[in-house]
Amino acid sequence: MTDNNTQLAVIGAGPGGYTAAFLAADMGMTVTLIDPADYPGGVCLYRGCIPSKALLHVASLIHDVAAAESWGVFFGEPKIDVEQMERWKSKVVTDLTSGLGRLVAQRNITYLRATARFVDHQTLSLTDPDGKTSTLRFEHAIVATGSRAVDLDLLPADDEYIWNSRNALDLKTVPKSLLVVGGGYIGLELGSVYAALGAEVTVVEMLPHLLEGVDRDLIRFLTKTLTTRFKAILTHTTVKSASIQKSGVDVTLRTSGGETTNQSFQRVLVAVGRRPFTKGLGLEKAGVNMGENGFVKTDRQCRTSTDTIFAIGDIASQPMLAHKASYEARIAVEAIAGKNVIVDPAAIPAVVFTDPEIAWVGLSETAAKEKGINIEVTRFPWAASGRAMTLGRSDGLTKLVVDPDSKRLLGAGIVGPGAGELIAEATLALEMAANTTDMGLTIHPHPTLSETLKEAADMIDGTATHYFRPKRKKKEA
Ligand code: NAD
């Protein structure tokens, strides 16, 4: 058993953990980054955001090839080589994670392949992949261990017939039929991948809508496309029972009204949410208090109930998004360095990388109505965007939620290809407290989809060039 010391121990090397470690090293701290994987990356790089986006890119190419026929180009039926696709996806992952490994070395960070467990508020016990243990003393620690997929008792993931996102990303086979349980981020993204590769995809969602809580104006476009690509989308529905057979899984589906149907699927993907991953960390030994729903309780500097220990990312709060984790990494490290900082983003953008993509940030129309906030809404249809037409993609919408008095931007929602890129402008506008005049007077390059944000902003004054909307009535004095 060896004893080591470090100024900052970072547990978990996903986008939260490695961002924290890199910044702390850049600020002059001695840093030890701990994770069982060969290189940093976490779920996001190894079996989440990155591999899924690589496969979604392939899916989008398959759809473009089909669409090209109407542009006069005929490629024929695509031939899918799953092994080659898996090799390509794995190379993307390896290139990125090994790249992070090089950045670790360049910054003189100590990277330990191990799992960590708190012994007390300044000591960790580490177990390496060979089972050897050591002790690490730290001045501060940041816990960034992320989250795990929720299993359903009825459908426990078995790596063969019943998948979670990890199995589904391990591209081995394209089943003839796939049941996706959960119409959220993962279900729709991975369902889209398998549908493009040729599987007959059925989605069951227990709530009334796909992506419940997301603006209905945006969802409408997505649902329209998905109904043509999926075999069935069954809302208000869940799985009542399941049994594994040689050929796949027999399930009984039940609607909220109590009707049942029996169906068989070659594979089932369960994507019903994620839970903070705190198991085996020994947080109680360090005096760290838990909050609600399995999250670690933190203050606005990401500090836990134990002064020396911070928690960031999926383990600390919703939304479970990589970019929220890396933002919190910065706050935690700066707080440790004694800076007077707090977690206070104007808004956190979210993107679902389906086709079309859906992205939103800030206040939604529904939330404004629920909270009784007075708003004005503009909707610029992509059918009026030259760029969207040249891409053959008029199936989009840019929507702004605006304060009617100051014209300050309060929220934005975008559906359409590339919505995830476009939402960054609205996020910056929100952070800078921009109003729609600022957005409208900002020269946007032509012809681009970014112009839809300018046009939606101009719509507030009824001055959008490519969409006629009568001027707002002036308020009576
Ligand atoms: P989710 O919360 O997005 O969706 C889960 C869905 O499953 C919900 O709609 C829920 O109502 C439904 N559900 C739950 N139990 C069910 C049941 N028994 N039968 C039928 N439906 C059921 O969760 P997810 O898709 O597993 O993703 C987890 C998290 O990962 C997301 O919340 C998100 O934070 C993150 N994520 C983000 C991205 C991205 O940023 N693009 C992509 C993937 C995952």
Side-chain angles (χ1 to χ4, degrees):
M1 179 111 106
T2 46
D3 271 324
N4 291 302
N5 289 293
T6 191
Q7 238 176 321
L8 177 67
V10 181
I11 305 156
Y18 75 71
T19 304
F22 289 6
L23 177 63
D26 292 345
M27 288 170 71
M29 294 182 211
T30 315
V31 181
T32 305
L33 179 59
I34 305 150
D35 194 292
D38 287 344
Y39 296 113
V43 169
C44 175
L45 272 83
Y46 281 102
R47 41 186 187 278
C49 329
I50 296 297
S52 64
K53 263 78 260 177
L55 296 180
L56 278 159
H57 174 65
V58 174
S60 135
L61 181 71
I62 292 171
H63 297 307
D64 280 353
V65 163
E69 293 195 1
S70 64
W71 311 329
V73 187
F74 297 82
F75 292 98
E77 207 41 40
K79 261 197 237 146
I80 311 279
D81 179 343
V82 172
E83 281 174 23
Q84 174 58 20
M85 205 179 294
E86 171 61 27
R87 274 195 294 276
W88 173 69
K89 182 211 76 184
S90 298
K91 184 173 179 319
V92 172
V93 171
T94 312
D95 286 353
L96 284 169
T97 52
S98 59
L100 287 174
R102 282 193 294 280
L103 291 172
V104 161
Q106 285 162 353
R107 286 178 156 97
N108 282 326
I109 292 167
T110 304
Y111 184 76
L112 298 179
R113 280 195 65 199
T115 47
R117 189 171 46 80
F118 284 97
V119 176
D120 62 36
H121 69 294
Q122 282 194 308
T123 315
L124 284 166
S125 163
L126 306 180
T127 307
D128 76 13
D130 299 326
K132 269 195 233 135
T133 57
S134 60
T135 300
L136 180 68
R137 299 269 307 155
F138 59 83
E139 287 172 26
H140 287 98
I142 295 178
V143 187
T145 46
S147 58
R148 285 224 153 155
V150 170
D151 258 340
L152 287 180
D153 289 344
L154 266 181
L155 294 160
D158 64 5
D159 205 19
E160 171 85 44
Y161 295 105
I162 300 172
W163 296 345
N164 54 26
S165 55
R166 181 188 191 136
N167 314 124
L169 285 167
D170 237 347
L171 203 59
K172 285 184 190 142
T173 170
V174 178
K176 200 169 155 347
S177 56
L178 175 70
L179 172 67
V180 175
V181 185
Y185 283 68
I186 294 179
L188 297 185
E189 289 186 359
L190 293 182
S192 298
V193 167
Y194 277 93
L197 296 181
E200 278 181 355
V201 174
T202 297
V203 177
V204 290
E205 164 57 54
M206 67 179 184
L207 295 177
H209 303 107
L210 298 178
L211 294 167
E212 187 67 47
V214 178
D215 190 309
R216 292 297 104 197
D217 282 340
L218 310 180
I219 295 291
R220 212 163 290 134
F221 284 86
L222 177 63
T223 311
K224 197 169 167 210
T225 306
L226 290 186
T227 21
T228 65
R229 299 202 176 140
F230 291 172
K231 186 173 170 234
I233 298 171
L234 309 171
T235 50
H236 285 296
T237 305
T238 188
V239 180
K240 183 175 164 247
S241 63
S243 69
I244 292 181
Q245 309 293 331
K246 261 199 185 136
S247 56
V249 190
D250 288 351
V251 296
T252 303
L253 303 179
R254 183 174 53 195
T255 66
S256 54
E259 289 153 45
T260 56
T261 49
N262 298 324
Q263 293 193 39
S264 300
F265 297 91
Q266 269 193 353
R267 297 288 184 274
V268 176
L269 163 62
V270 178
V272 293
R274 298 182 65 84
R275 237 179 234 138
F277 183 52
T278 51
K279 202 172 153 211
L281 267 174
L283 288 167
E284 63 293 343
K285 293 256 169 65
V288 172
N289 291 341
M290 299 302 289
E292 283 177 10
N293 301 323
F295 290 108
V296 173
K297 201 171 176 183
T298 52
D299 67 10
R300 294 192 75 186
Q301 288 197 314
C302 305
R303 189 182 278 102
T304 69
S305 51
T306 300
D307 262 6
T308 48
I309 301 174
F310 289 66
I312 60 171
D314 290 7
I315 198 183
S317 60
Q318 293 280 6
M320 293 189 178
L321 298 173
H323 44 273
K324 188 213 83 175
S326 16
Y327 168 88
E328 288 175 348
R330 179 174 181 153
I331 303 299
V333 169
E334 290 186 349
I336 289 168
K339 290 197 184 177
N340 188 15
V341 287
I342 54 165
V343 171
D344 188 24
I348 303 170
V351 185
V352 189
F353 291 86
T354 40
D355 177 27
E357 286 178 8
I358 292 195
W360 65 95
V361 66
L363 187 68
S364 69
E365 187 180 4
T366 323
K369 281 187 182 147
E370 278 166 13
K371 291 178 186 163
I373 301 171
N374 190 21
I375 53 160
E376 191 164 344
V377 173
T378 62
R379 295 174 183 80
F380 183 79
W382 285 22
S385 153
R387 185 58 179 139
M389 296 297 271
T390 64
L391 296 168
R393 295 303 302 261
S394 52
D395 56 331
L397 178 80
T398 297
K399 174 172 177 176
L400 300 184
V401 177
V402 178
D403 176 77
D405 297 321
S406 62
K407 294 200 271 180
R408 186 171 160 177
L409 182 70
L410 300 176
I414 306 177
V415 57
E421 308 288 338
L422 295 171
I423 205 69
E425 175 179 337
T427 311
L428 184 64
L430 279 168
E431 279 294 344
M432 303 303 288
N435 63 22
T436 50
T437 310
D438 298 322
M439 294 173 75
L441 280 175
T442 301
I443 300 179
H444 287 71
H446 178 72
T448 63
L449 296 170
S450 72
E451 289 168 299
T452 65
L453 281 154
K454 173 192 152 42
E455 296 255 26
D458 284 340
M459 279 171 82
I460 281 286
D461 289 325
T463 57
T465 310
H466 299 98
Y467 193 84
F468 179 72
R469 181 182 192 248
K471 281 199 179 11
R472 317 194 286 164
K473 281 197 198 113
K474 283 225 170 74
K475 274 197 176 166
E476 309 231 335

